[in-house]
Amino acid sequence: MSDYGAFTMSKYVALPKGVDEATFDRAIAEFRNIVGAEHVLHSAEALGPFLKIMIPAPIEAHAPSAAIAPASVEEVQRILAVCNHYKTPVWPVSTGKNFGYGSAAPATRGQIILDLKRMNRIIEVDPDLCTALVEPGVTYQQLYDYIKERNLPLWIDPPIPGPVAGPLGNTVERGVGYTPYGEHFLFSCGMEVVLADGQVLRTGMGAMPNSNTWQVFKWGYGPTLDGIFTQSNFGIVTKLGLWLMPAPPAYKPFVVRYPEHADIAKAIDTIRPLRIAQIIPNAGTVSNALWELAVINRRADLYPQAGPIPDTTVLDLAKKHGVGAWNVYTALYGTEETIAAHWKIVTAAFNASGGTVLTQEDVGPDDPLFNYRRDVMRGELTMREFGLYNWRGGGGSMWFSPVSQARGSETLKQMGLARRVLDKFGIDYVGLFVIGWRDMHHIIDILYDRGQPEAMAKARRCYDELLDDFAREGYGVYRTNIDFMAKVAKLYGPVKAKVNRRIKRALDPNGILAPGKSGIHG
Ligand code: ADP
């Protein structure tokens, strides 16, 4: 059976729910008139790139009916008019690299992917105010190159798939990077949104004609609306304002390695006051030994057996490869003088907690793990972390990402909860905490072989059980993949779900925008 022939005998890979082939033919003809035939894809072959996913779900459940790539806001508006007429839903993607959360695939089968990659203008970068205004298709690489070519003293803040992903898609998903501007939504300022009825809303100061403060003051007047267009299906974001970090005169990355699994508690309790006080200002990471090992090794080379790797073996492997049971990667930013002053404070704190503080001089110039963190924490682009996908091989990955307080006892408890479920399914605890201002994003990469149906089923059940066990303790994820959106939405309670639904009905009465996104249907 082909990956997509299971549900339909139609010439289309999939059809939108409730739409017959003849109706879809008419919609496709109108889309072609709007964007040109070459930008409307619907054959199985042409849709190939959109059918590749890493999460453990059958592609049949998430196969799109077509992909349309508009070039302007006006084309987006005209596409939405056709969608309202024929009741054909669209699933917007900007750069479509949402890998461990579903790549570019829609939450439900048969949606049309609204591929915004052709809308890729960097509209403005202001080097005085350190702001940018970008379209959805702009990649981090493109923004990086733009800044370098003009020699501007500005840094960007890429997430893990940095070079290929983009700031707009990542920010509307509330993704993170690793510099002091790591919490992306916090460092955005102003959106342009095409609503389902085709109206164009500019948020904050952007609503005022002739305003030049859209990218510098977030709130505007009255209710502030930007948040409702993140992780939602209330509109299509066509422009986003960003704050960019001024390149500091000096930068000092470092790693603190801890020898024991339980040392996560000491690490977090040491980081918290430094981070809240902004002595450590960035969204650094605290990764476990298996994360470190998995970035640069294949599992079979380190541990040929199938079951969970015993804790003692993990510690042995960590020692052998010169990594800690836990590894704090963070940095100081400022001038030589301010860094020297802060360096005394941070080294005293980490030394007192039993960690070993190491700088580039200590680890040497060629430590691949240190070097890629050094790069991402100063907004450089690297795909090094994709080494994780070679750990098991077979192209399977799903991110389980609960939020934790930045408190040692809490991160220790979450580690225990995670381990219980992961061990049961024979899945490695490849885990990392991203350091928030008062929270930790606990990120576990569920790595499995997507070529093995049994491994895929296990990974799925494992995620499901993790969600339940964490929810029982009051812990929720900050983001989820297209297969679990309904379940996660439910865990956040009935009132939130009802309010979401009311807003959805008011803004998108025909339910044409990304049905099922974040569990919200029309
Ligand atoms: P990235 O490539 O940066 O990871 P994507 O383009 O894959 O980001 O977008 C991630 C998700 O965010 C999409 O699956 C979609 O649900 C949502 N999204 C992306 N772009 C938009 C947009 N312009 N407007 C509204 N939602 C969007």
Side-chain angles (χ1 to χ4, degrees):
M1 189 179 71
S2 82
D3 238 6
Y4 23 78
F7 286 57
T8 171
M9 298 303 287
S10 162
K11 66 174 175 283
Y12 295 107
V13 166
L15 279 169
K17 199 170 158 202
V19 175
D20 62 31
E21 191 169 316
T23 307
F24 199 55
D25 284 343
R26 287 199 292 279
I28 288 284
E30 294 199 30
F31 294 138
R32 285 180 161 173
N33 281 340
I34 297 169
V35 296
E38 69 274 34
H39 300 300
V40 179
L41 312 176
H42 57 76
S43 72
E45 198 189 358
L47 289 177
F50 299 101
L51 296 169
K52 288 204 183 90
I53 52 176
M54 302 183 83
I55 60 166
I59 187 59
E60 289 91 341
H62 300 283
S65 50
I68 316 176
S72 66
V73 167
E74 194 239 330
E75 287 185 3
V76 171
Q77 292 172 296
R78 289 171 62 199
I79 288 167
L80 293 187
V82 175
C83 291
N84 274 305
H85 182 77
Y86 293 106
K87 312 282 187 292
T88 51
V90 283
W91 178 269
V93 300
S94 290
T95 40
K97 301 295 188 292
N98 202 15
F99 294 120
Y101 297 107
S103 305
T108 58
R109 180 178 166 81
Q111 300 192 39
I112 299 164
I113 292 175
L114 190 66
D115 179 0
L116 300 168
K117 69 168 176 290
R118 292 175 66 217
M119 296 171 64
N120 65 350
R121 285 179 308 151
I122 296 170
I123 296 162
E124 190 182 21
V125 172
D126 186 318
D128 302 320
L129 296 165
C130 305
T131 62
L133 182 65
V134 298
E135 289 189 331
V138 171
T139 61
Y140 282 102
Q141 183 75 55
Q142 193 184 337
L143 190 55
Y144 180 87
D145 293 344
Y146 179 103
I147 288 167
K148 282 280 171 255
E149 277 157 24
R150 287 160 185 77
N151 224 357
L152 303 175
L154 298 170
W155 282 7
I156 61 165
D157 186 279
I160 286 177
V164 291
L168 193 147
N170 192 275
T171 303
V172 297
E173 269 300 278
R174 300 203 292 264
V176 295
Y178 307 99
T179 77
Y181 284 29
E183 179 67 85
H184 289 164
F185 181 49
L186 194 62
F187 291 94
S188 69
C189 191
M191 286 177 175
E192 178 187 85
V193 188
V194 180
L195 302 174
D197 65 2
Q199 289 193 84
V200 177
L201 170 73
R202 289 190 170 183
T203 64
M205 299 307 291
M208 269 201 91
N210 299 322
S211 164
N212 67 2
T213 50
W214 190 21
Q215 268 63 69
V216 294
F217 182 65
K218 288 167 184 266
W219 319 123
Y221 175 75
T224 187
L225 297 175
D226 302 57
I228 70 163
F229 298 107
T230 63
Q231 288 189 4
S232 87
N233 50 12
F234 300 156
I236 294 170
V237 182
T238 47
K239 289 184 186 64
L240 181 75
L242 303 171
W243 286 350
L244 300 173
M245 181 171 160
Y251 166 63
K252 188 175 179 95
F254 60 97
V255 58
V256 190
R257 300 202 195 282
Y258 288 87
E260 302 294 336
H261 295 298
D263 287 343
I264 182 64
K266 292 181 195 164
I268 301 301
D269 286 334
T270 308
I271 293 164
R272 182 188 53 253
L274 297 169
R275 177 72 168 102
I276 292 179
Q278 290 286 282
I279 290 169
I280 289 177
N282 72 312
T285 53
V286 188
S287 48
N288 74 355
L290 279 185
W291 186 291
E292 298 297 281
L293 295 169
V295 170
I296 51 170
N297 292 282
R298 291 183 327 142
R299 189 186 205 267
D301 294 336
L302 299 190
Y303 189 76
Q305 294 93 307
I309 310 180
D311 280 355
T312 47
T313 311
V314 173
L315 292 187
D316 288 345
L317 287 167
K319 218 173 268 163
K320 192 169 148 210
H321 288 80
V323 300
W326 287 99
N327 307 270
V328 178
Y329 288 95
T330 183
L332 300 179
Y333 304 77
T335 62
E336 295 292 349
E337 292 80 1
T338 61
I339 285 181
H342 286 169
W343 183 242
K344 280 191 201 144
I345 300 169
V346 298
T347 47
F350 283 117
N351 287 334
S353 73
T356 306
V357 183
L358 303 166
T359 62
Q360 180 94 64
E361 290 71 47
D362 301 315
V363 300
D366 301 321
D367 181 329
L369 295 167
F370 187 92
N371 288 358
Y372 91 78
R373 263 56 170 261
R374 173 200 66 201
D375 291 348
V376 294
M377 292 192 298
R378 65 177 175 197
E380 296 283 334
L381 294 160
T382 161
M383 296 285 266
R384 185 88 216 189
E385 207 151 43
F386 275 44
L388 287 172
Y389 302 139
N390 299 326
W391 177 243
R392 281 276 185 188
S397 163
M398 170 169 53
W399 301 97
F400 176 68
S401 41
V403 178
S404 164
Q405 287 186 346
R407 197 192 301 277
S409 53
E410 286 291 298
T411 49
L412 194 61
K413 182 173 158 195
Q414 286 206 355
M415 179 177 83
L417 278 175
R419 281 294 304 276
R420 218 170 40 229
V421 180
L422 292 162
D423 284 358
K424 181 172 144 190
F425 288 96
I427 292 172
D428 299 321
Y429 177 47
V430 176
L432 159 147
F433 291 88
V434 182
I435 305 168
W437 215 326
R438 285 162 177 79
D439 82 292
M440 295 279 159
H441 289 39
H442 186 180
I443 312 280
I444 299 170
D445 198 351
I446 298 180
L447 296 163
Y448 68 98
D449 182 350
R450 211 171 176 281
Q452 292 183 26
E454 206 181 300
M456 185 152 133
K458 263 192 193 168
R460 193 177 191 289
R461 288 210 318 276
C462 176
Y463 188 94
D464 199 37
E465 213 167 303
L466 282 167
L467 276 178
D468 285 334
D469 280 18
F470 273 67
R472 215 169 290 125
E473 299 292 327
Y475 299 129
V477 292
Y478 90 100
R479 182 176 179 184
T480 194
N481 65 68
I482 49 172
D483 217 30
F484 280 92
M485 287 178 168
K487 170 151 184 164
V488 171
K490 212 165 166 209
L491 294 173
Y492 276 82
V495 178
K496 176 120 201 302
K498 260 189 253 164
V499 171
N500 285 344
R501 193 136 194 234
R502 274 193 220 157
I503 300 174
K504 178 68 174 167
R505 288 197 170 152
L507 292 181
D508 180 16
N510 291 323
I512 56 158
L513 298 183
K517 172 77 184 174
S518 298
I520 308 165
H521 287 271

